[in-house]
Each structure stands twice: as C-alpha cells, then as structure tokens.
Amino acid sequence: MPSEQLAIDCHEIHIFQKENVKATLKEPANIKSANNILQSLSVLFVLGIFHNLTYFQISGFGHTSIDWLHLGSADSLKIISGEWWRILTALTLHADGQHLLGNILIGGYFVARLCQLTGSGLGWILILGSGAIGNLANALAHGAGHNAVGASTAFFGAIGIAGALNSVLARHRTARYWLLPLAAAGILLAFLGTGTGDSKTDVGAHLFGFVMGIGLGIPAGIYLTKQGQPNRTVNSALSILGIIVVIGSWLAALRWG
C-alpha cells in the first residue's frame, strides 16, 4: 500500500467514523459492551512481533533458514492442491512494515468495537473464520497463479460481521433498519477495499472476506440475541482455540510445506 494511499485511507476512516460509524456499529440495547479493548488489540501487537521475526534467519523443522512467506502465503494453486494451512498462515504475514501498518490502522478500530459487542474470544474466532474462508474462496475463484499475504481479508471480514450483527440485533425490524448497517459496511468496503486499483491490492480477498463476514455475522447475531455475550470462561476457551488453530497451521506449514 503506497504511503499516499495509506494517508487517504486513514482520512476516509476518520470521516466515516465521524459521520456513519454509529449506523454500522451501534450498540444493541440487549448487549453490553465489554471492557476488553486491550485484550482484543493484543492480537495486533502479536502480529507486529511476528512480522519482525520473519526477517530473522531462523532454522528448524528441517529448514536451514525458514522462508515464512514461501511456506505460508495464500498460494492459490497450493491451497487447491491440499495445503489447507495457507488460508490461515497467510493472515499472519505481511509484505513489509507499511503493509502491516495499513492493515492495523484499517482493522484496529473495527476489531476492537466488534469484540466489545461479542467478547474477545468469539469476536476473534469470527474474524479468523471470515479471513480463512475468504482466502479459500479467493483461491478457488482465481485458480492457479494467484498469491497473496496479509490480514486484510480478516479485517474486511470484521467489517462484514459488524454490519450483519447490527442488522440482526437492530431493535427496529423494518427493512430500513435491517439494511442500514449492511449498507454502511458496504460503503466502507468500497472506500477501503479497492485500494488504488493496482495489482498489489487483492480486491477479491477483501470482497470475499467481507461476504464471509456477513455469512458468519448473521448466525452470531442470532446467537447473541438469544444468549447474550459468552461468559469469560467461554471467551477464554475460544481465544485458546484460535491460538491453537493458528499455531497448528504454522506447524503444518513447517512440517509439510
């Protein structure tokens, strides 16, 4: 992501938050916001640490020097051929520091706000799921010859989840109030998901992450309507599950990649 585009995206996020974000992320009457911002954003901090580790010459698992991008990128041909772990490992990789910073700036607010509504564990499982399924759908759509890295698939999934959640949880059941959060989320996708139109912007991944987020957000909203937020024990268990899934994916990549 070029620095000029990053500045434009940040400005657009500020404008959207100021004018429209209440429509997209309005707190439902029957769901109390959790005070979990630090826990929710800690994953972004870990992403930054891991990105720096990929620059070091690290050996192990039969590799004299681990090539993280080669082993974990969302190579469509290899995903289709059975290297399933890439739909998850690619979410943890970034091309460079600017790529990482852009994703964190775009995704950070929506991740934090979403996790306040769902709880950190459930929120990150939904985000991880939308990113992984989005990467799989993107690989199937492109076929051989496509390769990408980055957490943006999952972060656009978070935007889709937020829109779907608020549509389901809306107190007013008219079409207007059902569609408004999804429309606002769609505007964000149009603003931020298409980039500059160059080959470095994976528009398909953004779109599929967003659509899969909507698909996961609807049942999650129904669950929250009936059950409310998961308790601390359940959220902790879901957080541990997410960690295990990501670490397990990387172990598979290091063993069989």
Side-chain angles (χ1 to χ4, degrees), residues 50 68 71-72 89 92-93 245-255:
F50 180 68
W68 300 95
L71 292 174
T89 54
T92 67
L93 294 169
V245 167
V246 173
I247 293 177
S249 297
W250 267 114
L251 289 174
L254 291 167
R255 175 64 178 82

